[in-house]
Amino acid sequence: MAARSSSTSRTRKSTSKKKAAAEGSLWKPILAGIAAFLLLCLALEYYKEGGRLAFLKHKIDEATQTNTLTKFHPSGYEVAGLDISHHQPSVNWKQVKAQKIKFTFIKATEGITHQDRYFARHWKQAKQHDVLRGAYHFFLPSRDAEKQAKNFLDKVKLEAGDLPPVLDVEVTNHQSDEEIVAGVQLWLDLVEEEYDLKPIIYTNYAFYEKHLAGHFDDYPLWIAHYNPKKSHEIGNRNWVFWQHTSTGKLKGVRGNLDLNVFNGTMEDLYNMCYEPARF
């Protein structure tokens, strides 16, 4: 009886081990399948967004020569503004306007599919508080420029008194200068055709000098340059807007802000704004 019991026990243990091994082997293909699915999702997003992942920051080519040791506040400019995106989900426009902020540029779109989730809120509220508003598109040179223009035009509907559309160009996505210039020009042409208004080009000082100088002299230029020693000088090229810091502070908005000045008077700024054609 004892020998039989021992044999039975060994059989049960062996069966249990085989069962556990079988169950364990089932998890391996399941986990592998889940991992493969996640990798596929990342790959599709990488392709869709033109060589980047949405949750990673862009590598901005040639930073704006920031001097972090100096707080720089330009003087002698009558008109000040800010630019915002989903990084500023909540804005107290009443407080912002009380600090003599006259205009704002708001991120609307990026690439061929991405649309900023807070654009509609910011766009509506800026209008309600009589802050001049403009919309911008973050350009991905590796993606189809025509589809990028369509993405922007589908999202943004300018009204009388709005600032011109803006194309934010500050990454190469490993494209050549010729490809970048051609894509930028196509986007500008399509948006200008829609509104009969020349868009503004936004870029940083170093990117402009390296990739864009001499190609878009007929377009208003919004330059990002944070180094007070070199100021905002860009040779003989005139700028219309100057983003002088990315670490600005305003009551009514949490965290750091991009702050800007306009190179002109309020009347000059109003004269830039969109006026629909009358038939």
Side-chain angles (χ1 to χ4, degrees), residues 39-52:
L39 286 172
L40 177 62
C41 290
L42 289 174
L44 288 173
E45 183 182 1
Y46 185 84
Y47 171 78
K48 179 180 69 176
E49 296 299 336
R52 74 175 193 92

Side-chain angles (χ1 to χ4, degrees), residues 1-15:
M1 291 292 292
R4 184 178 298 177
S5 297
S6 177
S7 174
T8 302
S9 177
R10 283 197 298 269
T11 301
R12 287 176 180 173
K13 288 181 179 179
S14 177
T15 302

Side-chain angles (χ1 to χ4, degrees), residues 102-120:
K102 304 296 185 182
F103 67 88
T104 182
F105 287 107
I106 305 167
K107 183 175 182 179
T109 52
E110 177 177 332
I112 63 176
T113 59
H114 179 73
Q115 297 183 340
D116 194 281
R117 62 184 179 273
Y118 292 113
F119 172 76

Side-chain angles (χ1 to χ4, degrees), residues 10-36:
R10 283 197 298 269
T11 301
R12 287 176 180 173
K13 288 181 179 179
S14 177
T15 302
S16 298
K17 287 181 180 179
K18 289 179 180 179
K19 184 177 180 181
E23 290 176 348
S25 64
L26 287 175
W27 279 107
K28 291 180 180 179
I30 293 174
L31 291 174
I34 292 172

Side-chain angles (χ1 to χ4, degrees), residues 248-268:
K249 301 289 185 182
L250 287 176
K251 294 178 181 177
V253 189
R254 291 183 179 179
N256 293 331
L257 281 172
D258 296 334
L259 297 180
N260 306 267
V261 291
F262 172 66
N263 193 17
T265 65
M266 275 304 299
E267 183 178 0
D268 295 329

